[in-house]
Amino acid sequence: NVLYEYSSKKVPSFAEFDLAYGGDLKKWAKLANTIRLRLAMRVVKYNATWAQEEGEAAIKDPAGLLEEGESFTISGKGWKHPLYTCSIEYKNCFVSANIQSILEGYKDPRLNVYGLAAASGKVVGVRSGIPNIGTLRDQYVPQEGDATISYVNVTENQAASIIPAAEAYFLLAEAALRKWDTKGKTAKELYENGIAASFNQWGVSSSNYKNSSNTPANYVDPVSPATLNHAAMSQVTPNWDDATNDEERLEKIITQKWIAGFPEGNNAWAEWRRTGYPKLLPIVKNENQNGATLESGIRRIPFAPDEKANNPEGVKAAIGLLKGPDLETTRIFWDVDKANF
């Protein structure tokens, strides 16, 4: 409210220090509303009434939500993209096999934007949890020659996409699916707007993608196909009209939100925990000692040793709120183990 109020007043500008919106307070207000809607949807399985109240308040706020062309990105002032350091300079960050399976199957042109071509000339992902990866590394990433798997395609000073405008449309699509007040817009319309916003953000053509009946592709490992190949985890398509129920429609929404959010992983992980989507390839070898399964995955990050050493009373109080032990298998309050609908 403060941001929106002062956007129409003559106030000192912080444009010189704003790496996202150049001091545009209206866009910051839209970002605040979009985050509020994200948070509202995050708690929908914990308290559906509270979620709807907060979500509709964000939707109806006069400042509005992020729209196409208003993605929250960071750039300028000597900004260096951290993934450039990890992937291009250190050669230690690669495209996921999940990205390859889903986007390759969909014939999604964003695949060639997200990843660099590997030795095969295609974008090739790699699975998580490969045993003996130390001995296999030179086969995936040779000391000489091109890697058999794809580095993340990012340039040194490229803008970092933190919250894409497409997310606002996908949040609204789920809100409409849950019968919240979305100002008369339908879930299908909002879902397709989200796809269009993402394609435009990455500068690719959507052609007839929203009507596509393509499904994720089987994954083929370039080094150990006999042990690491895996069938596609889902048969969901980009086409909204071929869904037969709300669960299938939700899978479409979250899958497209997951694609649009690349490469920011924290929100993707949260949405996967909340909804179970997108359906991801299982970890190859599970070495977790605390009860995590291939299906459940990791539900939270345990408190760090430094925090336990320097703030023991705070950690003790926080663990009391967890309603479970300080383990990666303990669900936090909004991560409720029940059906999506």
Side-chain angles (χ1 to χ4, degrees), residues 170 173-180 186-188 191 236 239-255 274-275 277 279 339-341:
F170 292 126
E174 183 174 351
L177 197 64
R178 294 184 179 278
K179 308 296 190 295
W180 296 4
T186 67
K188 176 183 178 180
Y191 167 79
V236 73
N239 184 355
W240 181 266
D241 293 328
D242 65 11
T244 60
N245 55 58
D246 282 348
E247 193 67 42
E248 290 183 30
R249 296 180 186 101
L250 180 65
E251 183 178 359
K252 291 176 187 287
I253 291 169
I254 302 301
T255 300
R274 177 176 73 89
T275 67
Y277 301 127
K279 295 177 181 177
N340 287 311
F341 294 95

Side-chain angles (χ1 to χ4, degrees), residues 87-98:
S87 190
I88 307 303
E89 292 185 332
Y90 291 174
K91 301 186 182 305
N92 202 31
C93 186
F94 305 92
V95 170
S96 164
N98 294 296

Side-chain angles (χ1 to χ4, degrees), residues 9-322:
K9 295 183 178 181
K10 189 174 182 179
V11 294
S13 172
F14 72 109
E16 187 68 16
F17 314 100
D18 182 359
L19 301 186
Y21 292 128
D24 188 335
L25 297 182
K26 288 184 177 179
K27 289 181 180 176
W28 279 98
K30 288 184 169 189
L31 174 67
N33 274 336
T34 303
I35 293 173
R36 185 180 188 182
L37 181 55
R38 173 195 278 189
L39 293 172
M41 199 61 73
R42 191 82 87 235
V43 300
V44 72
K45 290 166 70 172
Y46 170 74
N47 187 324
T49 301
W50 181 37
Q52 185 170 355
E53 289 173 353
E54 291 291 343
E56 289 182 348
I59 294 167
K60 295 174 183 178
D61 190 88
L65 303 167
L66 291 178
E67 299 177 66
E68 186 176 328
E70 297 176 339
S71 296
F72 181 55
T73 61
I74 302 295
S75 64
K77 300 293 182 182
W79 160 265
K80 186 174 181 178
H81 201 301
L83 280 180
Y84 178 82
T85 301
C86 295
S87 190
I88 307 303
E89 292 185 332
Y90 291 174
K91 301 186 182 305
N92 202 31
C93 186
F94 305 92
V95 170
S96 164
N98 294 296
I99 286 284
Q100 181 193 348
S101 170
I102 294 173
L103 274 69
E104 184 179 79
Y106 285 171
K107 296 181 172 54
D108 191 318
R110 289 171 291 185
L111 179 60
N112 293 313
V113 177
Y114 291 173
L116 294 172
S120 64
K122 299 169 51 180
V123 175
V124 180
V126 63
R127 291 185 64 185
S128 298
I130 297 175
N132 304 317
I133 188 61
T135 59
L136 289 173
R137 182 178 172 86
D138 286 346
Q139 297 180 56
Y140 283 106
V141 191
Q143 296 294 320
E144 302 292 336
D146 294 334
T148 61
I149 52 178
S150 293
Y151 299 109
V152 178
N153 183 18
V154 60
T155 57
E156 184 172 8
N157 303 119
Q158 179 177 323
S161 179
I162 309 299
I163 299 181
E167 182 182 340
Y169 295 106
F170 292 126
L171 286 166
L172 285 167
E174 183 174 351
L177 197 64
R178 294 184 179 278
K179 308 296 190 295
W180 296 4
D181 184 354
T182 53
K183 298 182 177 180
K185 293 186 177 179
T186 67
K188 176 183 178 180
E189 175 186 4
L190 293 161
Y191 167 79
E192 293 179 350
N193 286 345
I195 292 174
S198 179
F199 272 61
N200 290 336
Q201 177 184 348
W202 294 104
V204 295
S205 173
S206 60
S207 60
N208 201 39
Y209 180 89
K210 68 180 182 181
N211 298 318
S212 168
S213 59
N214 293 329
T215 58
N218 296 335
Y219 172 71
V220 178
D221 186 87
V223 172
S224 303
T227 56
L228 297 181
N229 283 5
H230 204 285
M233 295 298 294
S234 172
Q235 293 300 306
V236 73
T237 72
N239 184 355
W240 181 266
D241 293 328
D242 65 11
T244 60
N245 55 58
D246 282 348
E247 193 67 42
E248 290 183 30
R249 296 180 186 101
L250 180 65
E251 183 178 359
K252 291 176 187 287
I253 291 169
I254 302 301
T255 300
Q256 289 298 326
K257 185 196 292 187
W258 179 83
I259 296 172
F262 184 90
E264 199 288 298
N266 283 316
N267 190 52
W269 179 38
E271 289 293 78
W272 176 81
R273 286 180 286 165
R274 177 176 73 89
T275 67
Y277 301 127
K279 295 177 181 177
L280 302 176
L281 295 165
I283 303 299
V284 178
K285 184 179 181 182
N286 180 14
E287 295 188 348
N288 183 270
Q289 302 298 309
N290 293 321
T293 66
L294 297 179
E295 293 74 28
S296 70
I298 300 300
R299 311 310 297 191
R300 62 180 287 275
I301 302 294
F303 293 110
D306 282 355
E307 191 69 22
K308 293 179 179 178
N310 298 323
N311 183 22
E313 291 303 315
V315 169
K316 181 180 179 181
I319 292 174
L321 296 174
L322 275 177

